[in-house]
Amino acid sequence: QSTHNVYYIKPMSLWHKVAFLTSILVCIAVVLFFIWGLPCDMAQCGKETVNSLSWDRTLTGLELKGRMHLVGGNLIAILRGALWGKSRGVKFPAGGGGVVALLGKTGTESYWLKLSVLPRYIDCSMSELIASGVRTCLVVGENGYLAAIDPISGNRIWNVRTPNEKTYPQPKDIDVPVPIPDMDSDGIGDLVTLSRFAKGHHRLAFISGKTGVLIKEPPLSNDCIQVTDLKFDYTTSTVHFTCSTHIKSRQMSYEVKEIKSRTGKSSLDRVVIPEEEHLRFVEGNNSAGEHKVIVSNSGTCPNDCSVSVNVTDFRNRTIWMYQAQRTYIMSPVSLHFKHSISGFLLKIWQWHSPAEKETKTVDGISVELIKERIILVTFNKSGNMHVVNASQTDIIQLCYDNECQPHLSFQTQSALIADLNGDGTQELISYFVTYRANNDDPPVILDKHSVDQWELESRVRVVRLEAELPKLYEAVSKH
C-alpha cells in the first residue's frame, strides 16, 4: 500500500502580492537608472547619439583624386586605378578610372561606376542640371569624354554625342562646361565648353543639358593656336574666351542668339547653398572673417620645391607664417563656424630629405616617403589665434619617370567641410592615398617582388570638427 503526500501552498495575501510586484518594479527601475541615468540625462544622451558622426573608410586598389562632392547624402569622387602593386588592373584598368560614392553618414560604399577613360574632373554644383529633383553630376574625362550621372544611383543619364559627325565633330580635349540658360526650349539649362582639335581648328561646343546632344559647334578663328578661360555673361548672353596666337593673346566673344531671356545672374548662383555659405565654396577664396591666408608654392617637388604661408589680420599685418623646403601646401580651406570661430585648414605634404632615406630603384620605379599633416589656424570671437596639428600621416609614393602615385596634383583639394547629418555643425571630410608595404618590407628597401605585393589604398576620414573646436578652446584656456 503506497502513501501519497499532498502539499498545499497557501495563496499569497493581497499585501504579499503588492510587495512582490513592487520589488520587481524596483529592480527594473534600478536597471534603467544605471543604463540611462548615470552617464547623462536622457536629452543629452539622445543628442550625443545623433551628433556623433565620425568614421574611417579604406578603399583598396584605387587613387581618389580631386574634390569630393556631397549630394543627396552621398560623398562622390572620381578615381584612377593602381599603377603598381597587387591591385593593378583588378578593379580598374591601370590607365582607367571611374566614380565612387560613399554614404555620408556611415562611409558605406553606395555605388561604383567604371569609365572607359581616365576622369579628370567632376562637378556636382550646377543647379541648372536637375534629374529626378537632384542636381546632376558632370564627369569630364580624357579624349573629350563628358557624361552626366545621377548622383544618387550612379546611373548614366547621358554621354555627349553629335547628331551628325560631318557637321558637328565629336568634341575633343574639352574643359569643364559652363552652364548657360536653356537654348533648345526643353526646360533644362544647357552647357557650353571649348573643344580643342588641331591648331587653328578649335570650336565652341553647345550641349543639351537634358540629352547630351550637341546643339551646335561653331568654329573659332583659325589663327587661335590655343583657346582658354571660357566664361559666360548672363546679362548679354555672350560667351567670352581667350585666343592665343603666335604673337599675342586676345579676348574674343560669341553671342548666343538662341537664348531669349537675359538675367543678371552671377556665377555664384550655380552653387545651391545658403547665401551665408557662399564664401566657403568660392574657388580660390582665402578669407575667413578679418583674416587672410596667402600660400606660395614654388619649384618642382620633391627635390626642388618650397612653400611659404602668411596669415594676415584686418590691418594686413602678418600674424603667423610658415616656411619649409621640399614641401607643398594644398588649396587652403576657409573655416566659418558657429561660436564665432573662423580660420583656415592647411594640408601639407613634406618629402623626406635625401639624408633621411636611401631609396633604391627597380626598373625605374622609386619610392618617396612623405609626411602629410593637417594644420588648423583658428580664431575665436576674442581674436585669439590657435595653431593646432590636427593629424599626421605617413605616405608612400611610387614614381616612374614623371608619373607618381599618389599624384600631387590629384590631392590639392582632398579636404572638404560639410554638414553630413543635418545637425547644423560641420564635419571635416579628408582623404589621403598611399601604397602600403608588406609588414616585412621596409618602405625604403625596394625590389621588384616587394612592389608587386604592395597595395594602393585611399583612406577617407570624417571628423566632427566644428563640434570639437569649442572644447579645444576650453582646453587651451585652462593651460
Side-chain angles (χ1 to χ4, degrees):
Q1 184 177 0
S2 61
T3 302
H4 298 280
N5 296 324
V6 178
Y7 297 94
Y8 173 74
I9 300 176
K10 183 179 179 180
M12 286 190 295
S13 66
L14 176 62
W15 291 110
H16 284 165
K17 290 181 180 179
V18 171
F20 179 70
L21 293 175
T22 301
S23 65
I24 293 177
L25 293 175
V26 169
C27 290
I28 294 174
V30 170
V31 171
L32 292 177
F33 173 76
F34 273 92
I35 293 176
W36 297 101
L38 288 183
C40 55
D41 61 67
M42 298 289 284
Q44 290 299 320
C45 283
K47 183 177 180 181
E48 184 67 22
T49 301
V50 173
N51 289 343
S52 295
L53 177 64
S54 60
W55 48 263
D56 194 315
R57 183 75 176 179
T58 299
L59 306 172
T60 59
L62 58 90
E63 176 185 13
L64 293 178
K65 54 180 294 191
R67 176 182 298 169
M68 300 191 82
H69 292 259
L70 177 63
V71 184
N74 280 341
L75 281 170
I76 304 170
I78 55 176
L79 56 94
R80 72 167 173 172
L83 299 180
W84 299 283
K86 59 184 179 182
S87 294
R88 184 177 187 271
V90 176
K91 290 184 177 180
F92 298 91
V99 180
V100 63
L102 306 177
L103 293 178
K105 291 184 178 181
T106 63
T108 305
E109 295 172 13
S110 180
Y111 61 80
W112 295 88
L113 179 62
K114 289 186 178 182
L115 302 181
S116 58
V117 299
L118 182 65
R120 290 168 36 208
Y121 191 85
I122 184 169
D123 189 345
C124 300
S125 66
M126 295 187 184
S127 60
E128 291 83 356
L129 303 181
I130 303 294
S132 302
V134 179
R135 296 198 309 272
T136 299
C137 292
L138 287 181
V139 180
V140 179
E142 295 180 342
N143 303 320
Y145 181 90
L146 176 64
I149 66 171
D150 183 331
I152 306 303
S153 65
N155 295 328
R156 285 185 182 88
I157 300 172
W158 52 255
N159 285 71
V160 65
R161 64 188 189 278
T162 175
N164 188 321
E165 184 71 34
K166 292 183 179 180
T167 306
Y168 301 142
Q170 187 71 16
K172 300 288 184 182
D173 187 19
I174 62 174
D175 286 340
V176 177
V178 173
I180 61 175
D182 186 10
M183 286 179 61
D184 51 6
S185 303
D186 60 5
I188 302 295
D190 296 316
L191 304 166
V192 62
T193 186
L194 292 167
S195 182
R196 302 179 185 87
F197 295 88
K199 294 180 180 179
H201 296 277
H202 305 307
R203 292 172 176 259
L204 284 174
F206 292 88
I207 304 166
S208 169
K210 184 176 183 179
T211 64
V213 175
L214 281 173
I215 300 172
K216 65 177 184 176
E217 199 177 24
L220 303 179
S221 175
N222 57 15
D223 66 343
C224 293
I225 298 175
Q226 183 62 282
V227 286
T228 56
D229 302 327
L230 181 69
K231 297 177 182 178
F232 181 76
D233 187 340
Y234 282 88
T235 59
T236 61
S237 296
T238 303
V239 175
H240 300 276
F241 59 93
T242 300
C243 166
S244 299
T245 67
H246 287 290
I247 302 174
K248 62 179 181 179
S249 296
R250 68 180 188 273
Q251 290 294 313
M252 299 188 70
S253 61
Y254 180 91
E255 184 179 358
V256 188
K257 297 180 180 179
E258 291 86 348
I259 297 176
K260 306 302 181 184
S261 61
R262 299 181 179 183
T263 66
K265 184 177 182 180
S266 68
S267 60
L268 278 179
D269 292 328
R270 61 183 288 209
V271 184
V272 185
I273 51 177
E275 185 67 29
E276 65 273 12
E277 299 294 312
H278 273 322
L279 283 177
R280 190 179 303 170
F281 290 84
V282 177
E283 190 71 32
N285 173 54
N286 64 346
S287 299
E290 297 179 337
H291 302 92
K292 290 185 178 181
V293 61
I294 300 174
V295 176
S296 298
N297 291 294
S298 60
T300 303
C301 290
N303 297 319
D304 184 28
C305 62
S306 61
V307 67
S308 65
V309 182
N310 285 280
V311 176
T312 60
D313 61 11
F314 68 99
R315 293 191 179 95
N316 204 31
R317 297 178 305 183
T318 298
I319 56 177
W320 184 78
M321 65 182 301
Y322 172 86
Q323 293 180 333
Q325 300 293 320
R326 296 177 61 85
T327 303
Y328 188 96
I329 293 185
M330 315 300 179
S331 301
V333 178
S334 297
L335 307 176
H336 303 270
F337 291 146
K338 298 175 182 177
H339 314 291
S340 300
I341 295 177
S342 62
F344 308 98
L345 182 148
L346 304 176
K347 179 178 277 195
I348 301 174
W349 268 18
Q350 187 165 36
W351 282 261
H352 287 210
S353 66
E356 295 175 308
K357 64 185 182 73
E358 298 177 359
T359 302
K360 294 182 179 180
T361 61
V362 174
D363 295 333
I365 302 174
S366 63
V367 171
E368 294 291 344
L369 304 181
I370 302 170
K371 188 78 68 178
E372 178 182 286
R373 290 187 294 145
I374 293 180
I375 294 180
L376 299 177
V377 182
T378 57
F379 306 89
N380 61 13
K381 60 183 177 181
S382 301
N384 297 326
M385 180 181 68
H386 296 292
V387 180
V388 179
N389 284 295
S391 69
Q392 182 169 297
T393 305
D394 291 322
I395 290 177
I396 299 177
Q397 180 188 50
L398 296 184
C399 296
Y400 177 81
D401 199 8
N402 292 323
E403 183 62 66
C404 293
Q405 193 172 46
H407 200 287
L408 173 61
S409 65
F410 296 167
Q411 309 298 307
T412 57
Q413 294 181 319
S414 55
L416 171 70
I417 302 292
D419 183 0
L420 290 180
N421 60 352
D423 66 349
T425 62
Q426 306 291 317
E427 282 79 36
L428 166 62
I429 305 104
S430 178
Y431 69 82
F432 68 89
V433 183
T434 183
Y435 273 92
R436 180 171 55 83
N438 288 341
N439 294 333
D440 298 333
D441 291 339
V444 294
I445 300 178
L446 185 65
D447 58 55
K448 193 174 189 308
H449 173 73
S450 67
V451 170
D452 290 341
Q453 296 303 311
W454 286 8
E455 183 78 273
L456 179 66
E457 293 182 345
S458 291
R459 193 166 181 177
V460 186
R461 289 174 174 169
V462 171
V463 179
R464 297 176 60 232
L465 182 59
E466 183 173 1
E468 298 300 326
L469 279 179
K471 298 178 183 178
L472 171 65
Y473 280 115
E474 183 179 353
V476 171
S477 64
K478 292 180 179 179
H479 291 81

